[in-house]
Amino acid sequence: MATTGRAVIVTGSSRGIGAATAILAANRGYAVCVNFVANESAAMSVVQTIEKAGGKAIARRADVSDERQVVELFDSAERSLGPLYGLVNNAAILERQCGFSDLSPARLERIFRTNVIGAFLCAKEAIVRMSASGGGAIVNVSSCAAKTGSPHEYVDYAMSKGALDTMTVGLAKEVAADGIRVNAVRPGFIETDMHAAGGEPDRVERLRDSIPLKRGGTPEEAASAIVWLLSADSSYCTGSFIDVAGGVG
Ligand code: NAI
């Protein structure tokens, strides 16, 4: 195991792509803060998986859309793990599939509050701390929906990921001189519980034939790109995007 010991926060990492990212990052030697909003036992089981493999992790509850909770999350992570090196902005939500005319302003506000304002609050907190400690890396977990637009499913969610992509580009340029790299991964059709939240647990299976690689992806395949963008192996990448969507996009 590599032993960089650098502190990384992965938001929304009690399950899915976030959990796979936390486990892989710890396996590569990062000290990981597993952030969760509701399911503490799932977060603790990610921590236990990491510890059993000889890694270091803590679990911390925080709603990323709440500024006070975000500040407490970062304070607590740094107290336990040391100066922050990495942030993975992974937490996000979507709601039930519907057509554009059935979307409501209230729904857009909920989606944007977590997916855009949440990522913004975490990135803002991260860059202050990373500039003070000599640099770091932020990876935003976007979606191939930012390119496809998710018609008839959730255009609101796709819009939020488009905003995240734009934040990635702007912030990357703004903080490059501080030694902070900002990149994004755009997953698509990854087998996680998120599709059930959209009302169709078997969505990936339904769409399989439209995916050039003819299958859904695993959380580990998305995590692999995320952890690469965190690492020094991607040291000349900033404002970059990796699509992990089986050829869609
Ligand atoms: P998931 O639903 O399993 O994971 C999302 C996590 O974020 C959950 O653990 C949830 O509790 C957490 N979360 C939600 N709101 C939060 C808040 N306010 N504060 C803290 N945590 C919060 O879904 P999945 O698939 O693992 O998604 C991870 C990321 O990948 C998301 O950003 C998602 O948009 C993105 N993505 C996933 C795709 C897929 O096919 N599964 C495709 C494209 C993007």
Side-chain angles (χ1 to χ4, degrees):
M1 177 189 288
T3 51
T4 67
R6 290 169 149 179
V8 172
I9 296 174
V10 184
T11 66
S13 52
S14 60
R15 69 180 201 186
I17 294 170
T21 301
I23 291 165
L24 180 61
N27 186 39
R28 297 279 163 82
Y30 296 99
V32 180
C33 176
V34 176
N35 159 249
F36 66 98
V37 67
N39 195 339
E40 181 165 18
S41 65
M44 286 313 301
S45 112
V46 174
V47 168
Q48 279 157 15
T49 301
I50 289 170
E51 287 176 343
K52 264 193 206 145
K56 182 165 184 183
I58 57 170
R60 291 290 181 269
R61 184 191 302 270
D63 177 341
V64 296
S65 70
D66 180 308
E67 188 165 16
R68 184 186 52 78
Q69 293 184 42
V70 167
V71 174
E72 282 172 11
L73 167 68
F74 279 70
D75 280 345
S76 173
E78 287 203 313
R79 268 197 309 274
S80 298
L81 305 177
L84 186 72
Y85 164 78
L87 165 68
V88 180
N89 259 328
N90 168 77
I93 55 168
L94 52 66
E95 297 194 15
R96 286 187 80 83
Q97 295 163 337
C98 68
F100 190 85
S101 53
D102 290 323
L103 294 171
S104 66
R107 172 167 154 161
L108 258 76
E109 279 176 16
R110 287 193 296 275
I111 298 289
F112 273 66
R113 177 140 282 282
T114 295
N115 300 7
V116 181
I117 296 179
F120 157 76
L121 290 172
C122 290
K124 193 173 161 206
E125 202 52 43
I127 60 169
V128 172
R129 293 163 195 262
M130 290 172 182
S131 348
S133 63
I138 297 174
V139 182
N140 294 322
V141 183
S142 174
S143 171
C144 68
K147 292 160 92 180
T148 66
S150 298
H152 310 293
E153 292 194 312
Y154 13 70
V155 175
D156 53 347
Y157 167 83
M159 289 163 67
S160 74
K161 295 300 188 175
L164 189 60
D165 284 4
T166 304
M167 185 181 94
T168 302
V169 172
L171 183 59
K173 290 176 180 166
E174 200 165 314
V175 297
D178 300 317
I180 304 169
R181 297 183 301 109
V182 186
N183 294 289
V185 169
R186 291 196 197 101
F189 315 101
I190 307 294
E191 303 274 11
T192 71
D193 294 333
M194 180 168 251
H195 306 287
E200 191 185 2
D202 298 330
R203 175 174 175 264
V204 176
E205 190 52 35
R206 171 175 61 84
L207 295 170
R208 172 203 288 266
D209 284 345
S210 65
I211 303 168
L213 287 180
K214 301 293 177 206
R215 67 172 178 88
T218 66
E220 289 72 22
E221 287 174 310
S224 164
I226 294 167
V227 173
W228 183 76
L229 284 172
L230 269 185
S231 78
D233 289 345
S234 62
S235 51
Y236 199 49
C237 295
T238 199
S240 299
F241 293 81
I242 300 179
D243 291 353
V244 183
V248 173

